[in-house]
Amino acid sequence: MYSNCGVLDCAEKVFFSMQDKDSVAWNTLFFGYLENGKTVEGLQLFDTMSRTGVVPTNFTYTTLLSACNRLRYHLAGKLTHSKVIVSGTALDLPLYNALLDMYSTCGDNETALKIFRKIKRPDLVSWNSMISGYANNGDGVMAMRIFIQFGQSSRFTPDEYTFAAVISAIGSFPAADYGIPLHGQVEKVGLGQSVYIASTLVSMYFCYGEVESAQKIFISIPDKDVVLWTEMIAGNCRIGNAENSIRFFNGMLQEGHKADEFTLTSALSVCAEVATMRQGEMIHSLAVKTGYIVEMTVCGSLADMYAKIGNLAAAELTFSSVTEPNLKCWNSMLGAYGYHGKAEEAFKMFSDILQDGLKLDHVTFISLLAACGHCGLVDQGIFFWNYMKENGLEPSLKHYSCMITLLSRAGLLEEAKNLIMESPFGDECLQLWKILLSSCVSKGNRTIGICVAKQVLGMDAEDSAANVLLSNFFASTGRWGDVSEIRRKMRGLTLEKDPGLSWLEVTNSTHVFSSSDHSHPQYDEIRAELHRLQGNLTVDTVRNRFNSID
């Protein structure tokens, strides 16, 4: 009773006043600790129970596995499983489900599947654990396969957790194949107003680029929670609509929702992308006020944001306030030094990460290779490239992009070309060839440039950026006939170069401009003010000339 009411001090007094404590008494207090957020204390209580000689029950093991899972103590969870086997405990369904959840969460889907197949009559929790396990570990094919098997062989009806898990797993599949049919099933079973499912649907539609569908779902949910708002903020950020992201962030606060660490991280990512310093500083203040400044994801995003708006000192100060930074925080500062061309600082930080005993990931090496690229350090770049592969990390497209940029800028065009040809992306990724072509233009290398130009045209003859690069290359080599041909083709295909954008922050709003853009709502006032300033400039110029004659 005291445990269920959250009065743990009274529960403890009753428990410790008992002379003969059986397994039920231990289990009750153990479970009470977990339910009231004292997971570590619960594990300590289990150790005490083990020393007293009380035999754990199925409920004890189920609760212990839940505690290990909650704290991400997966090694302790596996040791608990071994204790279950050694003790000869007959597994019941709750204990099976706790094992499924633990193995799925720690990424061991193979063991989870073996356990699942031992369950004679899996319940809805069992199926949901398997689907969400594959979804969380990036195996959308298996998640969908288990979901289909669930529909064919189970007597249970999918609930909101089932749909949320499978929808979150299908981002890499075409919308028409799985996404839209699943959305239809959700509406058919009457779960269309579930905010839990709506969050995954919004994320899915943003992943497919169907922004209008995501907004319709958001508008249709009457009781929006902070997770749904965060999906709208993050989704708009991913598609490059920073203005909408900030608008949703402000709207969420106006609705009375409290921003959590994920919301703050998403909002800071927006500020980093569009360099809105004032808005970023306000979100920093909010993180301090709400106490989320101590969260690693928030600190990492703050460091990244300050670095991208040009305030490296603020990024360093934010990072230095973290007592035990995780890899995300380290990577954020590595990226910051890379943006600012501080290669030596980035290399020192790399050594610090190794001394800290953290396992390096793909993001770490993207930051290091980018730092080498900014400073033209070819030898160091090759070292990190080889070090990454020696440690079992296969280079992604971004790694190849960084390495080809480094080699091309250093004039090693032949080496860059060979690297593209050796990569798994050489036959399909126009981006890598455009990097090399750009360097052929700046270096004036006609031999390699012609070869690269043919490759670019063969991959996409209508790519506007590629055609501009080709035009510049032919101009640099004096092939004016080819320049005219490309420009004529661009006019015929109505190809336009994607415009560069400028952001101007005024009070709490960010205004976006591009060349020859008349879409700004205050365009007429801006033009009028510009003419007035030009007029003043002309008068001042004439007056200064007369004064100089005098």
Side-chain angles (χ1 to χ4, degrees), residues 266-281:
S266 297
L268 287 168
S269 298
V270 177
C271 297
E273 289 303 314
V274 297
T276 51
M277 182 173 67
R278 181 178 174 82
Q279 187 75 45
E281 289 173 341

Side-chain angles (χ1 to χ4, degrees), residues 120-356:
K120 292 181 179 178
R121 293 183 179 179
D123 63 1
L124 187 58
V125 175
S126 311
W127 287 101
N128 285 349
S129 294
M130 288 304 300
I131 295 168
S132 62
Y134 281 113
N136 294 335
N137 293 308
D139 194 342
V141 174
M142 276 301 295
M144 197 68 208
R145 190 174 295 168
I146 295 290
F147 177 75
I148 293 170
Q149 185 183 345
F150 167 68
Q152 292 171 344
S153 60
S154 174
R155 56 190 173 86
F156 298 100
T157 302
D159 64 2
E160 59 180 346
Y161 302 105
T162 318
F163 281 114
V166 73
I167 290 168
S168 66
I170 59 169
S172 60
F173 302 128
D177 288 355
Y178 295 112
I180 294 174
L182 279 171
H183 188 184
Q185 283 192 44
V186 168
E187 297 292 343
K188 185 177 179 180
V189 299
L191 293 173
Q193 294 297 299
S194 166
V195 67
Y196 191 68
I197 297 177
S199 300
T200 57
L201 283 171
V202 166
S203 178
M204 178 195 76
Y205 278 119
F206 269 117
C207 185
Y208 293 146
E210 298 185 15
V211 182
E212 189 176 343
S213 297
Q215 290 176 337
K216 283 180 180 178
I217 293 169
F218 178 80
I219 293 168
S220 70
I221 303 299
D223 298 319
K224 303 173 179 64
D225 64 0
V226 67
V227 178
L228 184 57
W229 281 98
T230 301
E231 288 295 347
M232 290 301 294
I233 296 165
N236 278 285
C237 178
R238 283 198 300 272
I239 64 171
N241 196 335
E243 189 175 353
N244 258 358
S245 284
I246 296 298
R247 183 168 62 84
F248 278 108
F249 178 74
N250 292 330
M252 185 196 77
L253 298 179
Q254 289 169 5
E255 289 286 326
H257 295 283
K258 292 183 179 179
D260 60 14
E261 59 180 299
F262 303 106
T263 315
L264 293 169
T265 299
S266 297
L268 287 168
S269 298
V270 177
C271 297
E273 289 303 314
V274 297
T276 51
M277 182 173 67
R278 181 178 174 82
Q279 187 75 45
E281 289 173 341
M282 289 169 63
I283 296 170
H284 188 175
S285 300
L286 183 60
V288 173
K289 184 178 178 181
T290 55
Y292 285 112
I293 191 66
V294 298
E295 297 293 337
M296 294 295 174
T297 53
V298 176
C299 286
S301 296
L302 271 170
D304 185 54
M305 183 269 295
Y306 278 122
K308 285 181 177 176
I309 65 176
N311 194 342
L312 184 59
E316 291 174 323
L317 185 62
T318 301
F319 179 78
S320 65
S321 67
V322 184
T323 52
E324 294 183 7
N326 62 6
L327 188 61
K328 179 177 171 57
C329 283
W330 285 106
N331 285 343
S332 296
M333 274 312 299
L334 269 179
Y337 286 130
Y339 304 144
H340 291 264
K342 302 280 187 179
E344 291 302 321
E345 288 83 348
F347 299 158
K348 182 181 181 303
M349 184 156 281
F350 173 72
S351 300
D352 293 339
I353 296 173
L354 293 178
Q355 288 178 3
D356 214 33

Side-chain angles (χ1 to χ4, degrees), residues 41 56 58 68 103 153 183 187 226 240 405 423 437 450 531 534:
E41 289 86 343
N58 282 38
C68 295
Y103 279 111
S153 60
H183 188 184
E187 297 292 343
V226 67
T405 300
S423 78
L437 182 59
I450 291 173
H531 284 306
Q534 287 176 327

Side-chain angles (χ1 to χ4, degrees), residues 5 15 56 90 105 107 181 232 285 301 342 371 381 386-387 393 470 510 520:
C5 294
F15 176 79
T105 305
M232 290 301 294
S285 300
S301 296
K342 302 280 187 179
N386 292 330
Y387 188 95
L393 292 173
L470 283 170
T510 302
H520 194 280

